Structure formats: C-alpha cells, structure tokens
Amino acid sequence: MQRSFTILYTSLLGLCLGSSSSFPSNINIGGLFPIESHEYEVFRFALSHHQDIPKLVPQVDMVKMGNSFSMTYAFCSQFSKGVYAIIGLYDRKTVNMLMSFCGALHVCFVTPSFPIETANQFVIQLRPELQDALVGVIDHYGWTKFVYMYSSDSGLSVLQKVLDTAAERNWLVTSVNVETMTEASFLKVFQDLDKRKEGQIIIDCETERLTGILKKIVEQGKNAKSYHYILANLGFLDIDLTDLRKGGANITGFQLVNHSEPGVSRVAHQWMEFDNKDSKVPKSGLKYTGALTYDGVKVMYTAFQNLRKQRIDISRRGNAGECLANPPAPWGQGIDIQRALQQVRIDGLTGHIQFNEKGRRTNYTVSVMELAPSGPKKVGYWNEDEKYVTTASFVRGSNETYGLQNRTYIVTTILESPYVMLKKNHEQLAGNDKYEGYIVELAAEIAKHVGYQYKLKVVSDGKYGARDPETKMWNGMVGELVYGKADVAVAPLTITLVREEVIDFSKPFMSLGISIMIKKPTKSKPGVFSFLDPLAYEIWMCIVFAYIGVSVVLFLVSRFSPYEWHAEDYDEGGEPQTPTQASGTNGMQQSQTQTQQNANQQSPEQTNEFGIFNSLWFSLGAFMQQGCDISPRSLSGRIVGGVWWFFTLIIISSYTANLAAFLTVERMVSPIESAEDLAKQTEIAYGTLDAGSTKEFFRRSKIAVFEKMWSYMKAADPSVFVKTTDEGVMRVRKSKGKYAYLLESTMNEYIEQRKPCDTMKVGGNLDSKGYGIATPKGSPLRNPVNLAVLKLNEQGLLDKLKNKWWYDKGECGSGGGDSKDKTSALSLSNVAGVFYILIGGLGLAMLVALVEFCYKSRTESRRMKVSTARAAAASAAQAFHCSALDSGASAPYTELQSYGLYANNTVKI
C-alpha cells in the first residue's frame, strides 16, 4: 500500500513539474526578409529590445521578392527547424503561396506587408486597411472626378473599395495601372486632365514606386498648384516632397506613426543609434514599414509571454514534419499560438494594436496630412468610430505671398542682345551688376514693384525651352522652372500653348512676330535714264502712241472742219517789209509784186494752220506745258486740245510726284519679299533657332506655305537650324545672300541697327505673339508679377526701354529699323540722262539745220542756175550778215539780191 502511494505521488509530482517546465525558454521564430532591407534591420533592432524569458531566437532567411521558389524553399526550411511563428514580407507573386502553407500547416505568419482579403486566420496583418480612410478624405474634399493611379504590387483591395463607392455615389473614376504605364501614356493622362481643367489624382503605391512616380510628376511639371494629389500610403513623412512643394502642388496623405509621441520619438532616437554596421544600406530614419516590423516583434513577444503565463504547452516533440507532405500534417499547437497573437492588445509605434477574428488590424487611428508651405502639417485624423475629423490649424493658400521679401529668388534668363549682355568690365563685377540690357532693367523694375530680392542666373544650356520628343524632358529656361531650379524667367520667352501647359505666363511685355532676315543686297547704281523710272515702260510707250494719235486726230479734224480753213490776205496779212527792203527794190520787182497781188485778189488762197507738223508741234507744246503760237478754232479741234491738256495735266502731275522719290532714294533689289518667295525657291536656304518657339511654330503649323517650309527645313542637309541667334546672324552675313534666318521681329530690327549694317528685314510678320514673364505653375509670384507688367506698360516704361536699347543706341542711323531706303542729295548720275538728252537734242537740231541749209542751197542753185557751192556761200554770208545786223553792223546785199536768193517772195509749203 505504501509502495503504491509512493508511486502515485511520484507520478503526480513529475506531471506537475513537467507542466511547469514544458514551456520553452527560447522561442524560435522565423524571418523572411528581402536582402538588405530596412525591415530586416528593424527586426534585429526590435529583438535587441526583447531579451526577457521567453527569449525570441531568430531563424532568418533572406529571400528574393517575387521569386516563389525561393520563398517556398525558405518557408519549408524554417518549418523543418521547428519555428513557432514566422514574421516577414510578401508580394503579390508569393502571397498566395504563403497563405496556402500557413493555412495547411497551421503556422502563423505575422507581416507588415499590405493587407489582403483572406479567410486565413493564421495570417496576422499588422498594416491597417486604408480604403475607408481614403473614402472619408475623398468625401471631405468633395471629389467626384479623379484619376486613381495604383500598383498591383500592393493589391487591389483599396481600388475595389473606391470603385464600389464610386458606383454608389456616381463618381467618375479613371483607374490607371502604373506598372503598365509608358512614358507616353503617363503624359496623356495629364494632357487629358489639362484639357478638362481637372487635377485630382490619387496614387496608391508602395513607397519605393511612389517616389519614382512623384519624381516623374516633377519632371513633367505637373507639381503645380492646379493639381491635388492624395497619396494612399501610410508613410507621408517617409516621402521626400521637397520638389513637389516648390511647384505649389496640393499634397494630401496619411501618416501611421505619430513621431510626436514620447515613446515613438525615443525608439526612433534609439534606432538611429543602433549599431547596424553589418548592413550595406545607409542609415535612414525609421519608416512606417519598419515601425510595423518593430510592432510585429512586440506582438509576438507579448503573445508568447501570455502563453507562458497560461502554461500552455506549445512544445514541438519529435519530427517537425515535412511542409510538402501529402496530405499536409498541420501543427497541433498552431491554433493556440494563433489565438494568442489575435488576443494581443498593446500600444506600439503605430498606435493601438488590436486584431479581429480574421487577423486584421482594428480600432486604429490614421493621421491625415497636408503639405503646407512650411512643410507637412496634420489636418485631421480618421478612425472607425468618428470617421474623418478635421483638426487643421492653417488654411491652404491663405498666406501664399508671405515671405516674398524674406528670400532671394532665382531669375533665369539668357544671354541675348539687347536683352541681356555682359558689360565690358564684367570680370571686375559680381552678381547682377555684371549684366546690362533691356531684360536686366525690366527685371529690376519688376522686382522693385513686387518687392523681392533676386539673383540673375543665365540658363546653363543656352536654350529658351522645348520638350525633347524622345525623353519628354524640358530643356532651357522652361526646364529650369518646371524642375524647380529657378523661381521666375525674365527673358524674351515667347508665350506658346505647350509652354503654358507646364508654366504660367504674365501678360505680354512685348508684341512681335516671326520675320525674315536676309543679307542686305548691294545698292543698285542709278541709271543714266533713272528720271524715266517714275513711270513704267508701258506707260511711256502709251504716252508716245497717245501723242502721235492725238496729233493725227487733230490734223484730221482740222482738215474736215471748215472753221479751220481761212483765206490769206497778202495786203493785210503779208509779211511787212523793212524800210531798207522797200527802198532797195527795183522796178522789176515792184512790177512782179503788183501782178501777183492782182492775181491773189482775183482768187484768194485757203490755208489751214494745222498741217501734220504743226499738229505734232501743238501736241508736243501742250505736253511739255509750254504752249504754242497756234490754237484750234473749230469746236472739234478744241475738244481734242482740251482732252489732251487734261491728259497731260494728270500724267505730268503723277510723274512729278514720283520723280523726287525715285531720284533721291537709293533702291535695293531684294531677292525675296515674303515667305511665299522663300517657299517657292530652293537657291536660298532658310532656317530657325533650334529648340525655340519659332521652330515649334513651323512644326505645328497647318498652313500650306509653312508646312512646305517646315518640310524643307527638316530635310535640309546640312542642317539649317542654329543653336544660337548669333550663330544664325553670322550665317546670314557669311552666306553671300544664300541663307535667310527666321526669327522674332524685335531681334531682327535690333540686329539691323547694328554694325556692319548688312542685314535687313523683308516682308511682314508671319504670325503675332508676345514675350511674357514665366513662373512655375501655382507660384505665388504670378499675380504680383502680372500686375507689375501691366503697371509698367501703362506708365510707358516698356516703350521707353525699347527705344533706349533698339534705336537710341543704334549704329546704322535713325529710322526705327523699318526704313529700308535712305534719302540723300541728288548726284550727277541721277540726272545725267537729262543732260544727255539736251546735248543730243542740240546736236540733232544742228544736224537738221545743216541738212535744211544744204537742201535749200541745192534747190536755190538749181533755180538760179548757179553752183551749189556759190549758193551755199551766199546763204552762209546772209546768215552771218543777219548776225551782224543784230550787233549793229551793215553788210552788202547787192550780190545776194542780184542772184535773187532772198527776194521778197513768199513760198508756201
């Protein structure tokens, strides 16, 4: 009996001792982490903070995310080692595999990865679900149309919740998968938003991918004030939002870790001091995924502490089993560990930690953050009971111009005469004093009116700004504004549609258009007969034919009209004789004269003054406005004379009006006069500035002429495009008239006024546009700068500045750049033809007189039957005798009269 009692006591004692000592002092926990991940380093850091009994002993495998085979091998390896639970990460390619193993083998998996919809109770999800908080924020902002950009890496549960809510509330949601998005599709999304004047975008991605998307948004200039982004990510403070803040974009996000809590800040400080010399990853702040990992270790430690207090046997005896066995052999104690994990109630780095029966976080609070001008600010919070609650202590945009006077703004510009030029002694100067020009003074005036300090910075690549068709990146001054390298661009920057999509422009401070620059052709030498230029060749020919025609008509009407015929009375109408002639006549001559007069009285002769020669003489006298000693008597003749006088009045007046201009202006013959002339020929090459608005104008133009010009410029070899305006001007000057440069009219006019004065603007402007001051989208400088430009324009300062730098400092004379011809005094070459005509006319008159003299002498010699030489000598003696009479001398007439050469006979022709 005593022996039996002893055996029973020993057995009970052994049982009691066995139950108290059955809970292991070391708990093997598995770890599945990506290589050199932030979560693994925090896992090590968390284990160092939980060294009490039971001690957590890690069994870690570094896995390659996205590789199902690697994850399967690591999981089975840890299961065979007899781990009690596993903590680690998964992605969309390995989550289903892990869920299957955990459910089949009853192994608990604690994870800080994205939450998923699953009925597997062995998955403990540390990360809270965000979809309800996101819907609450969307309701708060009143969005009804927005773009939802998501990554399938983080699952589709949030997207599904948003789409379901959108169907209930008639929201218009455009979902875009960023994993399949190309550069072109990314740009198209924002182009569609710009067309619809919308800018509401939600981005649901893991932190690494989200950082890349935000960088691309900044590169495309979509970080402007007109855009509002909601980042569906629980680590708002983990993201670098500096570049987005420069553009003034509205950014809203969520923050899980409250760094203002003393416990959190203490752990974060300890984390920064934690020795992680084995890690090759640079030390970074404690991210929210790391905080979730830390809380995961704390949850596991608390669960096993509770199991130990409850003296629940979780020991694994014998073979741990094979994870790939068929059928699977689940671990019996897995249910106890799963229940212990779900029952944990603690406060961790991520707030209150509690799980529901499905292993998901519940009873948690998420902070709602916004990016204020001074940095991230908490504007509210969300929890399951109160939903979204606003706690904003500032109003966005209420003080957007605050601090303009308290910082120095970067003003980007470009070296371009006369806008911005280096002073001659610029090497001895510093800062803004190194520069001079129109833009330099304009920037100073704007800064004075707005009230801010600034620093001029010349754009590094020397370009105005265009988007690369391949990389979609902006260069030049536009790129510096888009990517936050400058605050304002004061330069001859053309306002265009594509630029307006990414930056803001002020009202134009200068109006202009695209013009054509060519080398000034050599001045045409004035011709000998340049006085004929006022009237065209056809007009001169018509005048000659009109002169002949009028003379013939006058001759005919005078012949047919009886009023032009009259009888000639020699007694009254005959030529009077001088006393000398009267006394010198002999009796025979008197007898002949008396006989002739008697005959004339018996049959008077009818005469007509308008013979063909007199008609020509009358017309010529009227045309020359000198008159004539005869005039028409008949009505028909006077009508002819009247219309001829009217005709000559108009012709002479028109000729006189144009004569001064044609004689005093040196004219230049230009090979082209318009863009149409350029397009129709191939001898003269033409091009524009590369990466500028002029090139963009031709590329986008739908006008046939400009399309033809663009096709030529694009295919020209060698290239007709130039990198700088100076290069284009030098090419024009050295091309000997074989290259035309297309540029803004203001620059064309300026260069025309600069030595060596060998370029000129031809034709009118091809378009109409303006220069504006540019600022990034949503910049607080936009409105003040715009008002300053309007004020300067009303004060007339803009015109004053242009006159100062264009014409007052001109080197090629006055004229405002528009005058192509310079007036000067007449030279002999201008009117030499008139003298030639005068000399020719005098010579012709002498020749005709000589012919008449010879003809008359020959005729008289035959009539008087004397030699021609003697008759000519007598005629010459008579000519010089008449000249002597004019001087008061006397000469013998006996010989002349004896031959009867100059008898008092009237000869009618």
Side-chain angles (χ1 to χ4, degrees), residues 734-776:
K734 294 180 180 180
S735 65
K736 298 181 180 180
K738 300 301 181 182
Y739 181 78
Y741 183 45
L742 300 162
L743 74 167
E744 281 81 3
S745 57
T746 50
M747 182 60 66
N748 200 346
E749 294 166 3
Y750 172 78
I751 295 173
E752 187 177 358
Q753 290 294 312
R754 293 300 176 271
K755 291 181 179 179
C757 307
D758 58 350
T759 64
M760 63 181 291
K761 172 186 173 185
V762 294
N765 295 340
L766 308 188
D767 68 342
S768 179
K769 53 189 175 183
Y771 288 151
I773 297 174
T775 55

Side-chain angles (χ1 to χ4, degrees), residues 652-668:
I652 296 300
S653 300
S654 302
Y655 174 82
T656 306
N658 288 339
L659 181 62
F662 275 82
L663 293 184
T664 60
V665 174
E666 295 177 340
R667 301 179 59 81
M668 293 179 292

Side-chain angles (χ1 to χ4, degrees), residues 123-143:
V123 179
I124 307 300
Q125 303 182 30
L126 295 167
R127 188 185 301 189
E129 294 180 336
L130 190 58
Q131 48 263 45
D132 292 331
L134 179 59
V135 171
V137 172
I138 295 174
D139 281 335
H140 171 70
Y141 288 119
W143 287 11

Side-chain angles (χ1 to χ4, degrees), residues 96 213 230 242 249 286 335 347 505 548 573 577 589 703 799 816 849:
N96 293 328
I213 293 175
I230 296 180
T242 305
L286 186 62
I335 294 293
D347 290 329
F505 279 101
I548 297 174
Q577 295 179 348
Q589 289 174 334
I703 301 176
D799 293 333

Side-chain angles (χ1 to χ4, degrees), residues 214-471:
L214 295 180
K215 181 180 179 182
K216 190 177 296 185
I217 287 173
V218 173
E219 292 175 352
Q220 297 296 334
K222 305 305 179 182
N223 58 332
K225 188 178 180 181
S226 58
Y227 293 97
H228 189 171
Y229 297 94
I230 296 180
L231 308 182
N233 185 283
L234 291 171
F236 189 77
L237 298 180
D238 300 339
I239 307 169
D240 184 8
L241 301 174
T242 305
D243 292 336
L244 267 77
R245 183 171 59 184
K246 290 181 179 179
N250 301 284
I251 310 293
T252 303
F254 303 92
Q255 180 65 27
L256 184 61
V257 181
N258 186 2
H259 289 278
S260 62
E261 290 288 338
V264 175
S265 60
R266 182 178 64 253
V267 174
H269 180 71
Q270 293 173 352
W271 157 251
M272 296 302 295
E273 294 180 349
F274 177 67
D275 183 16
N276 63 339
K277 60 182 179 181
D278 295 335
S279 175
K280 298 180 181 179
V281 178
K283 195 72 170 181
S284 61
L286 186 62
K287 301 179 181 178
Y288 87 98
T289 53
L292 288 170
T293 305
Y294 185 94
D295 287 347
V297 174
K298 189 174 181 179
V299 166
M300 297 174 71
Y301 176 79
T302 304
F304 286 113
Q305 284 280 14
N306 294 335
L307 288 173
R308 184 174 185 275
K309 290 177 183 180
Q310 298 171 14
R311 297 184 179 183
I312 298 177
D313 183 14
I314 60 171
S315 60
R316 301 184 64 176
R317 300 178 180 86
N319 187 6
E322 185 67 34
C323 69
L324 299 179
N326 190 15
W331 179 32
Q333 289 76 21
I335 294 293
D336 296 329
I337 296 176
Q338 179 262 330
R339 290 173 181 171
L341 290 172
Q342 286 187 357
Q343 292 172 2
V344 171
R345 303 287 188 274
I346 60 173
D347 290 329
L349 300 181
T350 58
H352 181 72
I353 300 175
Q354 183 177 345
F355 303 97
N356 60 16
E357 65 279 1
K358 295 182 179 180
R360 302 175 190 170
R361 282 282 291 268
T362 183
N363 196 19
Y364 58 89
T365 300
V366 176
S367 299
V368 179
M369 312 290 290
E370 279 192 1
L371 186 62
S374 58
K377 296 289 184 182
K378 181 178 179 180
V379 296
Y381 64 88
W382 183 94
N383 58 40
E384 294 176 342
D385 297 330
E386 301 176 89
K387 302 305 179 184
Y388 180 74
V389 178
T390 301
T391 62
S393 58
F394 79 101
V395 178
R396 174 174 293 276
S398 60
N399 196 23
E400 60 183 16
T401 60
Y402 172 75
L404 287 181
Q405 299 85 357
N406 298 328
R407 60 165 291 195
T408 299
Y409 286 86
I410 301 298
V411 176
T412 181
T413 188
I414 189 170
L415 284 176
E416 196 80 80
S417 301
Y419 300 100
V420 179
M421 302 173 288
L422 289 170
K423 293 182 179 178
K424 294 181 179 179
N425 59 339
H426 65 90
E427 296 178 353
Q428 305 172 3
L429 303 173
N432 300 342
D433 296 334
K434 296 190 300 182
Y435 306 103
E436 64 177 353
Y438 177 92
I439 289 297
V440 177
E441 296 190 18
L442 177 61
E445 290 292 334
I446 291 175
K448 182 173 67 176
H449 282 76
V450 176
Y452 65 82
Q453 302 294 324
Y454 71 99
K455 178 183 178 182
L456 286 175
K457 177 186 174 184
V458 176
V459 61
S460 57
D461 59 5
K463 296 182 178 180
Y464 288 90
R467 178 180 288 164
D468 189 281
E470 296 180 357
T471 64

Side-chain angles (χ1 to χ4, degrees), residues 526-600:
V528 173
F529 296 97
S530 60
F531 64 88
L532 298 176
D533 292 340
L535 299 181
Y537 171 78
E538 295 83 0
I539 297 179
W540 284 117
M541 294 302 299
C542 290
I543 290 175
V544 171
F545 288 124
Y547 164 69
I548 297 174
V550 167
S551 300
V552 171
V553 170
L554 181 61
F555 169 74
L556 293 177
V557 298
S558 298
R559 287 293 174 180
F560 284 102
S561 177
Y563 298 101
E564 291 294 345
W565 295 91
H566 60 279
E568 184 174 356
D569 188 356
Y570 288 97
D571 290 337
E572 298 177 358
E575 294 179 358
Q577 295 179 348
T578 62
T580 307
Q581 288 175 328
S583 61
T585 56
N586 53 26
M588 183 182 64
Q589 289 174 334
Q590 291 178 355
S591 175
Q592 291 175 352
T593 302
Q594 184 67 31
T595 304
Q596 185 177 12
Q597 289 177 352
N598 292 335
N600 291 338

